[in-house]
Amino acid sequence: MADTALNLLVEELRQPDGRRLWIVDENIPPQLLPPQPNTQVIGNRFDLIRAMRQQGWNAELSDFDLSQWPASSLEKLIYRVSKEKAVVHHLINEAARVLRPDGELILIGDKGEGIKTYARKAQQRLGGSKEEQKQGSVWRVTVSLGEADSALLDDQDYPLLRDFQPADAELYLTKPGLFGWNKIDRGSAFLVENLAAMTGQALPLEGRILDLGCGFGYLALNACATSAALTCTDNNAAALIACRANLNARQFTQAEVIASDAGDSLEGTFDIILCNPPFHAGFGVEGDLTDRFLRQARRLLDSNGTACFVVNQHIPLERKARGLFARIHCHADNGHFKLVQLKEPVNKPQ
Ligand SMILES: C[S@@+](CC[C@H](N)C(=O)[O-])C[C@H]1O[C@@H](n2cnc3c(N)ncnc32)[C@H](O)[C@@H]1O
């Protein structure tokens, strides 16, 4: 299924068109095809955008923000649909604004991902013709811009940050487009409860602290005081925006928020690393993502520091950490999540 969708996408991108925009996310492999003329790329994943730029694509990291594109400026918008409905609706809404008269929105996706419904909604919003090409369960849909319907699809106000106030907890700013944007991750809450015991320090933590895969900043905000030497990093554009906003709202003026792939663009070392690593990448389960986080944690942890990880119970983090840290200790296991403490990084790359 994934291959069929990508084949259709490549076929589409190889068409010699006028000015067009290709929207990419974690479902697009970085080496899908060589740079194409007249094609600008925007996407919400730092690792993907960096890799595409290195190949020569004109690519920009963005939380699917098309606001800098003038109205009626594009001939085509090409998009293999994302997992999150709010993102798809937001981009269909924007297509009606940025496409020229008779411009086309190309949507590619599987029936199981809702492509049939998206095709119908896109035609309703754009008001032009609709053409469907099917290969098995995968559809390529071409919708042209006619008399656009002024009614917007419900995108949950995708671009906007909003307040999120969990019971008995502090207020956070968050938005759709980032992992678990409207909940507190239970694993992360378990980690915060145990941080003092894991680090041997009362909260707020002291020292140079890294929140690796920060999301909207839950771990950092609960572990640190405003004066902390804090760095937060994530791969996802929405997470970087939300985390920065939360830190600003709490006057964490010295904290840095940096885009990276599992911390790879960070320099220096940290006394404490906090991490709830991602498990799913796009439509697949990417085992080596955990390895990438562990290798970067080794590189970034001070020799006297402590990395505190929380993972689903079935992830063999202790085994994966062998050879990277001399001291690996499962601090607690609540039947769903385990907390693993890593110390003394070994064989650090120079
Ligand atoms: C399980 S969430 C944890 C979020 C947050 N720390 C919390 O505790 O709520 C994992 C985070 O890792 C981020 N992530 C996924 N892949 C990444 C990568 N390659 N590099 C950096 N961060 C990544 C996701 O965007 C997400 O914010």
Side-chain angles (χ1 to χ4, degrees):
M1 180 281 282
D3 285 353
T4 311
L6 294 178
N7 290 342
L8 287 175
L9 191 56
V10 170
E11 206 177 287
E12 183 60 51
L13 286 159
R14 287 194 188 281
Q15 307 273 339
D17 289 311
R19 195 160 181 239
R20 61 195 185 168
L21 179 61
W22 177 23
I23 312 282
V24 299
D25 67 6
E26 71 276 16
N27 298 307
I28 305 298
Q31 311 271 355
L32 189 62
L33 79 171
Q36 299 296 302
N38 305 329
T39 308
Q40 164 109 35
V41 177
I42 70 165
N44 67 337
R45 300 287 156 158
F46 169 78
D47 57 342
L48 175 62
I49 295 300
R50 181 178 58 185
M52 292 184 80
R53 276 194 185 164
Q54 281 163 358
Q55 291 160 45
W57 287 93
N58 183 359
E60 185 197 334
L61 178 65
S62 153
D63 182 22
F64 306 116
D65 176 8
L66 304 198
S67 60
Q68 83 280 18
W69 290 82
S72 311
S73 59
L74 285 175
E75 238 157 76
K76 250 189 197 178
L77 201 147
I78 301 169
Y79 178 36
R80 187 248 185 275
V81 296
S82 307
K83 271 197 290 196
E84 198 174 343
K85 187 156 86 177
V87 180
V88 184
H89 282 186
H90 162 67
L91 288 167
I92 294 174
N93 285 336
E94 279 292 82
R97 186 182 66 78
V98 296
L99 286 173
R100 290 181 188 165
D102 294 324
E104 289 176 337
L105 168 65
I106 313 293
L107 295 176
I108 294 172
D110 191 86
K111 270 166 81 174
E113 295 157 12
I115 188 69
K116 206 171 152 182
T117 311
Y118 289 139
R120 183 176 47 74
K121 289 179 172 171
Q123 185 182 27
Q124 179 190 325
R125 167 86 179 123
L126 269 63
S129 61
K130 175 171 69 140
E131 219 180 277
E132 289 151 5
Q133 184 198 347
K134 297 168 195 168
Q135 273 189 30
S137 59
V138 178
W139 291 25
R140 167 167 53 182
V141 185
T142 305
V143 182
S144 67
L145 183 66
E147 267 312 297
D149 187 342
S150 56
L152 296 172
L153 302 182
D154 177 12
D155 69 353
Q156 297 185 54
D157 292 323
Y158 181 80
L160 303 184
L161 286 164
R162 73 247 19 226
D163 292 350
F164 166 50
Q165 175 106 58
D168 303 327
E170 300 203 41
L171 181 78
Y172 301 95
L173 291 164
T174 182
K175 68 179 295 304
L178 66 88
F179 169 84
W181 68 274
N182 51 2
K183 61 173 187 166
I184 302 294
D185 183 277
R186 286 188 299 131
S188 296
F190 185 41
L191 178 56
V192 168
E193 279 162 29
N194 285 276
L195 266 182
M198 280 179 95
T199 57
Q201 275 192 42
L203 300 190
L205 300 176
E206 302 267 322
R208 294 159 300 165
I209 296 162
L210 171 63
D211 186 342
L212 182 57
C214 58
F216 62 74
Y218 174 80
L219 293 176
L221 293 164
N222 283 283
C224 302
T226 51
S227 57
L230 172 65
T231 301
C232 297
T233 188
D234 207 285
N235 194 33
N236 173 304
L240 296 167
I241 291 169
C243 185
R244 180 78 267 168
N246 279 309
L247 294 170
N248 289 349
R250 312 258 180 106
Q251 272 83 48
F252 277 78
T253 44
Q254 291 164 39
E256 285 195 292
V257 180
I258 299 175
S260 78
D261 178 8
D264 65 353
S265 40
L266 304 185
E267 282 169 13
T269 55
F270 296 87
D271 301 307
I272 295 177
I273 298 180
L274 308 173
C275 187
N276 178 352
F279 177 49
H280 293 285
F283 291 112
V285 174
E286 209 188 332
D288 107 294
L289 203 51
T290 314
D291 296 311
R292 291 217 306 272
F293 271 76
L294 282 170
R295 279 196 304 273
Q296 290 301 330
R298 165 183 63 176
R299 184 178 71 82
L300 293 165
L301 187 66
D302 187 273
S303 47
N304 296 314
T306 306
C308 303
F309 273 65
V310 58
V311 286
N312 277 330
Q313 197 193 32
H314 63 267
I315 296 197
L317 196 82
E318 297 94 318
R319 178 173 63 66
K320 285 170 174 287
R322 263 185 240 144
L324 300 174
F325 297 89
R327 288 173 59 196
I328 302 165
H329 170 64
C330 180
H331 175 85
D333 182 335
N334 68 3
H336 299 286
F337 301 100
K338 62 184 171 188
L339 304 178
V340 180
Q341 190 190 50
L342 306 168
K343 285 171 173 271
E344 297 176 19
V346 290
N347 304 322
K348 269 186 182 242
Q350 291 310 305

